[in-house]
C-alpha cells in the first residue's frame, strides 16, 4: 500500500525545468489543452497557484494562453487554470465550452 506524506519537502530546482519540458512537448501538438487543479487537501492551494503563476511568467511564451479559474466546493477553494495553444484551431469552441461548464456549475452551487 502506498502512503503519502504532506511534510515540507525541499525545493528542487529541477521541477520548473521538468514541467517546462513537459509543456513544450505536450503543446507541440497545438490541439492539446491542459487543465490543472492545485491540490487543496493540505490547504496550500494558494501557495501552489503562486508557484505556477511565477513559472508561467518566468517561462513566458506567446504561444500559450492561461485562463485561471476558482470555485468553492464544500468550503474549500479550488484553484486551477486552462492552458491552450493560441494556434489551436478549436480554441474558441474549447474556451466557450469550458466557460459554459464553469458557469453551469457556478449557477448550480448558487
Amino acid at each position: 500500500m502506498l502512503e503519502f506524506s504532506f511534510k515540507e519537502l525541499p525545493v528542487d530546482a529541477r521541477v520548473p525545468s521538468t514541467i517546462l519540458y513537459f509543456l513544450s512537448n505536450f503543446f507541440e501538438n497545438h490541439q492539446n489543452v491542459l487543465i490543472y487543479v492545485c491540490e487543496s487537501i493540505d490547504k496550500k492551494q494558494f501557495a501552489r497557484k503562486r508557484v505556477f503563476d511565477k513559472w508561467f511568467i518566468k517561462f513566458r511564451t506567446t504561444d500559450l494562453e492561461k485562463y485561471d479559474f476558482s470555485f468553492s466546493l464544500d468550503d474549500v477553494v479550488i484553484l486551477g487554470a486552462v492552458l491552450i495553444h493560441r494556434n489551436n484551431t478549436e480554441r474558441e469552441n474549447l474556451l466557450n465550452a469550458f466557460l459554459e461548464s464553469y458557469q453551469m456549475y457556478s449557477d448550480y452551487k448558487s
Side-chain angles (χ1 to χ4, degrees):
M1 180 169 145
L2 293 175
E3 291 185 27
F4 295 95
S5 172
F6 288 100
K7 297 178 198 173
E8 293 295 319
L9 298 174
V11 175
D12 185 340
R14 298 172 296 179
V15 170
S17 296
T18 301
I19 291 174
L20 178 63
Y21 177 78
F22 166 78
L23 291 176
S24 294
N25 288 335
F26 184 75
F27 284 107
E28 281 180 7
N29 178 345
H30 297 175
Q31 298 306 106
N32 285 341
V33 177
L34 180 83
I35 299 175
Y36 70 83
V37 175
C38 299
E39 176 60 62
S40 60
I41 196 168
D42 57 358
K43 303 195 186 304
K44 293 184 180 181
Q45 64 270 36
F46 290 97
R48 289 184 180 95
K49 181 188 180 317
R50 283 192 301 273
V51 169
F52 282 112
D53 288 348
K54 278 189 212 178
W55 291 346
F56 190 78
I57 290 167
K58 181 178 179 182
F59 300 115
R60 191 88 177 162
T61 173
T62 57
D63 292 335
L64 288 184
E65 298 174 349
K66 178 174 164 277
Y67 298 90
D68 294 320
F69 64 86
S70 67
F71 58 89
S72 294
L73 180 64
D74 298 330
D75 297 327
V76 175
V77 177
I78 307 297
L79 303 169
V82 176
L83 298 178
I84 190 165
H85 197 282
R86 68 182 185 98
N87 293 329
N88 185 315
T89 59
E90 293 296 319
R91 181 183 162 279
E92 291 300 317
N93 291 333
L94 291 164
L95 290 174
N96 286 335
F98 180 80
L99 183 58
E100 184 179 310
S101 298
Y102 179 80
Q103 287 174 335
M104 283 187 349
Y105 177 79
S106 296
D107 291 346
Y108 172 76
K109 292 296 285 182
S110 299

